[in-house]
Structure formats: C-alpha cells, structure tokens
Amino acid sequence: MPSALVTGGSSGIGLAIARMLRDDGYDLTLASRTPEKVEAAAAGLGAQAIAANMAREEDCVRVVAAHVDRFGGLDVLVNSAGIGIAGTVETLQAKHIDLQLGVNLRGLLLVSREAIPHLKRTKGWIVNLASIAGTTATPGLTVYGATKAAVIALTQSQNAELDADGVRAIAVCPGFVDTEMAAWSGIEPSEMIRPEDCAEIVRMCLRLSPHARVPEVVIERVGSSPTFG
C-alpha cells in the first residue's frame, strides 16, 4: 500500500487531507504537537500517531524515520503544520517571529530534507500548505504571509531540483478555511472554504499521470475581497 506522512494532521486541513488519503487506501502517519489530539485523530483513521514539535530539528528527523520504519517507504509528504499570529510590523514580538518562522518554514524544510530520499524512490509528492496570504499583501498577518510566500518559493525550487527524479510538489494556497486558526477573522464558518476543498485539490494531483504536475493552486473564498481572504 502507498503511505503518507501528514504533519499538522490532528485537525483542520491536515486532518481533512489525511482522511481523504485513508479513504483512497494510504497507510498514514499523523504528526502534531499535542499528544492527546494527534492520538485521537490517528485512532479514528487507523493511523500511526507521533507527538512532535515541527520547530525542533530532532522531531522533524524522528517523524520521517518513524514513518519509514513502520511502512517501509514514503509516497506522499503533506507539510500542513503551521501557525499564524496576528500583528503589524511595528508591534511584532521576536518570540512570535521565531515561532512562525520555526514551524511554517524551518520545520517544513527540515521534514522535506529528511523525506526527499524516500520520495525519490517512489517518485512521490510533496504537498506544502501555503496560503493566499503568501500571494498578496496581508496587513495584520505580516510574518505569517511572509512565511507562506517563502513556502510558495521553496515549492518552486523543489520542483526544479527534483524534476529529474520524478518527485512533484504543490503549494496549496487557500483563503480563510473553516479551522481553529481562522476563528479570529470574524467570518461565519458557513462562509469559509471547507478543509475538504483543500483535500480535493490534493486528491486531484495524486490522480495525475506521472508526467503532469500542478505547482500551485490558489483557492479563493467566494464573496471575499479579490486581494485577500
């Protein structure tokens, strides 16, 4: 059976993608920071659960090693772990900058580094959760938007570097999705993008022929500003 590792897999978009992968026949590892949450989510999907902080290099190394040890390889890496902290440039706190850079960008890079040798063997996929905030100005989400713009850029580099190996990467860039992270927006949940919408984009990519890839998808929220959200 093919297998997938989903960071940030205990809730929101990560969990929706994990559920889709389970339904499509993938063995799964879910990694998330809170042990209780990731164990509960994994139990519901028959997946392996790993409590890990993606801001720590040793945890990034550990989750990939544990997945490969259990399933013998890796076909899909989903980098969904992320954090957003509201704030303008002039109000930024260093600890909030470090936290968002550590999880959203550094952790994603480190997990990818560990996973790529295994993905080369299977000609697998890297799914990077970016954001529409990485494609346009995002007042009040300055650092978050900057990290997601970086995720889009590194996805382009991954495709260039791994083209000859048959490994493909996509940056999924949604507007406000009905998750805990978006609760601050004040938008009614019923008016937000569904986590399952993001999962359907990933499902589409996994069904492409080996010679096709979609490097970036922006998912706009109907009724939103044309520039953000």
Side-chain angles (χ1 to χ4, degrees):
M1 292 178 64
S3 69
L5 166 61
V6 183
T7 71
S10 65
S11 62
I13 298 172
L15 181 56
I17 294 174
R19 188 176 294 113
M20 176 277 293
L21 290 167
R22 186 278 313 272
D23 291 345
D24 283 4
Y26 283 75
D27 284 326
L28 292 172
T29 295
L30 306 186
S32 188
R33 185 168 183 171
T34 306
E36 297 79 12
K37 287 184 66 175
V38 71
E39 289 166 8
L45 297 178
Q48 174 177 221
I50 302 177
N53 179 355
M54 293 297 101
R56 300 176 58 188
E57 181 176 12
E58 56 267 36
D59 281 12
C60 295
V61 173
R62 177 169 59 87
V63 296
V64 175
H67 177 89
V68 173
D69 183 62
R70 177 164 179 175
F71 299 115
L74 178 63
D75 296 271
V76 178
L77 169 65
V78 180
N79 285 309
S80 186
I83 184 170
I85 301 173
T88 62
V89 174
E90 64 183 340
T91 64
L92 290 174
Q93 298 182 48
K95 64 180 181 181
H96 292 164
I97 297 172
D98 293 343
L99 182 58
Q100 291 174 92
L101 288 172
V103 176
N104 298 356
L105 183 56
R106 183 175 182 270
L108 186 152
L109 284 165
L110 292 172
V111 171
S112 298
R113 180 193 69 189
E114 297 301 306
I116 282 171
H118 307 287
L119 293 168
K120 285 181 176 180
R121 298 186 186 101
T122 59
K123 299 186 184 300
W125 271 93
I126 302 171
V127 178
N128 294 323
L129 263 296
S131 170
I132 203 169
T135 70
T136 188
T138 55
L141 287 174
T142 309
V143 179
Y144 179 78
T147 63
K148 294 306 183 178
V151 169
I152 294 169
L154 74 87
T155 302
Q156 295 169 352
S157 294
Q158 286 174 332
N159 278 320
E161 291 177 355
L162 299 170
D163 185 77
D165 299 296
V167 178
R168 293 166 286 176
I170 179 174
V172 181
C173 310
F176 282 115
V177 180
D178 181 17
T179 64
E180 293 179 8
M181 189 182 297
W184 68 272
S185 68
I187 301 170
E188 289 295 325
S190 62
E191 297 179 359
M192 292 189 189
I193 297 164
R194 306 298 302 166
E196 292 77 15
D197 295 328
C198 300
E200 285 302 317
I201 296 296
V202 177
R203 174 180 271 140
M204 173 197 70
C205 286
L206 297 180
R207 292 180 175 181
L208 293 174
S209 74
H211 299 291
R213 70 174 171 233
V214 179
E216 180 181 336
V217 171
V218 175
I219 308 172
E220 295 182 343
R221 186 176 64 84
V222 174
S224 66
S225 162
T227 57
F228 179 61

